[in-house]
Amino acid sequence: MFGYRVPAPDEAMLISGGRRGLGGAPFRVVTGHGKFVLPIFRKTRFLTLSMCESEVVETCVTRQGIALTVRAVIAFKVGNDTESIVNAGQRFLSDQDQMSVLTGRIFAGHLRSIIGSMTVEEIVTERQKLATEVLDTSKSEMAKIGLHVDSLQIQSIDDGDTGYIDAMSAPHKAAIQRQAQIAQAQATQAAAEAEQEAARKQAEYARQTAVVQAQYSAEVDRAQAQAAQAGPLAQAHAQQEVLDAQTELAERAAQLRQQQLVAEVVKPAEADAERIRVLAMAEAERMKIQAEAAASYDRVALDRMLIDQLPQIVKEAAAGLSGANVNVLNGADGLGEIAAGLVGQGLTILDSVRRNLGAPEGGPGGEGGTDGTDGTDGTQQRNNGRVEIE
């Protein structure tokens, strides 16, 4: 819009031609927003608020009288407050590049002043202390011109051809070299030990590998030997199994043959023997029964014949007594007893004959019958009858 001016974010707009600014400044300061500016009656200028850089290369003499060339870089800018902008605008608005030149000159003077109070050793070893002291001594002076220093960096310190810094660093270099040599020796020793350890491990690994290979080779040889023996062993086992099977088959065949022989020969023979024994027993029983029947029939016939002959036997016995000397002691009773004795003697003879017919030839029955009839019974009968025969 016509007459409306807006400063950039890193700029400050200075409006002159109207009422005065803060603190009686000949212009008003506008930052961060726009403002209407009457043309012809007002005039606007812009002051940079961005970061600026100034490089300082200064030859300074230390407290020891040794000249040092110091290179430093200063980073600065115009302060953000209105007072700093007014101060910087009044000094650098027409030629803003002068800010870097003036800042470099200010810091060069402070560097010479501070380095002159320090030794080379302090400057070399305490650069941050040097930078801090330079900033502290220049802060108030820089604020008067509206500038704010953000940082100061000491880039290099050079003693030229004097060689003081090199001489100062010689012990440290020697120590560092010694330490480096020691470190190198230690590193070499460690490397050698590592190589030896690696060689030992490699040898141990080779030994273990050889042992394992030997074990594997032995196992392979053993497996091959077992495999080589497996065929004959399997064949021998197979033959043994065949022999066992044949033996078992032969035993079963023998058992079967034995059973067949028992069934075909022994059992029929036993059956025939049993049949013959049974037939013989039956025949013997039949013959016994027939013999018993025949004997029974003969005894019946003999008994019948003896009974029929008994009167004749008694008669003959009586005839034999007729010429004998018989004394009768008890009269009629004695005669009766004699007669009864004769009859009993006849019956005894009959019974003896029967036993002889039923007993085996020459057996004890015949002998007993002979003894009983001839000796005892006749005598007893005679004694009981009280008959004495001479």
Side-chain angles (χ1 to χ4, degrees), residues 283-299 357-358:
E283 182 66 21
E285 185 67 20
R286 185 182 64 80
M287 293 178 66
K288 179 180 179 181
I289 293 172
Q290 289 179 355
E292 289 178 354
S296 176
Y297 178 79
D298 292 339
R299 281 196 302 271
L357 290 176

Side-chain angles (χ1 to χ4, degrees), residues 214-259:
Q215 292 177 354
Y216 287 164
S217 179
E219 291 180 0
V220 170
D221 294 340
R222 185 164 56 254
Q224 290 178 352
Q226 291 178 356
Q229 295 176 357
L233 288 176
Q235 186 176 2
H237 287 309
Q239 292 178 356
Q240 183 65 35
E241 291 179 356
V242 170
L243 292 176
D244 294 340
Q246 290 178 353
T247 303
E248 184 178 0
L249 182 61
E251 291 178 354
R252 291 183 178 179
Q255 293 178 358
L256 181 61
R257 182 59 182 166
Q258 183 179 2
Q259 293 176 358

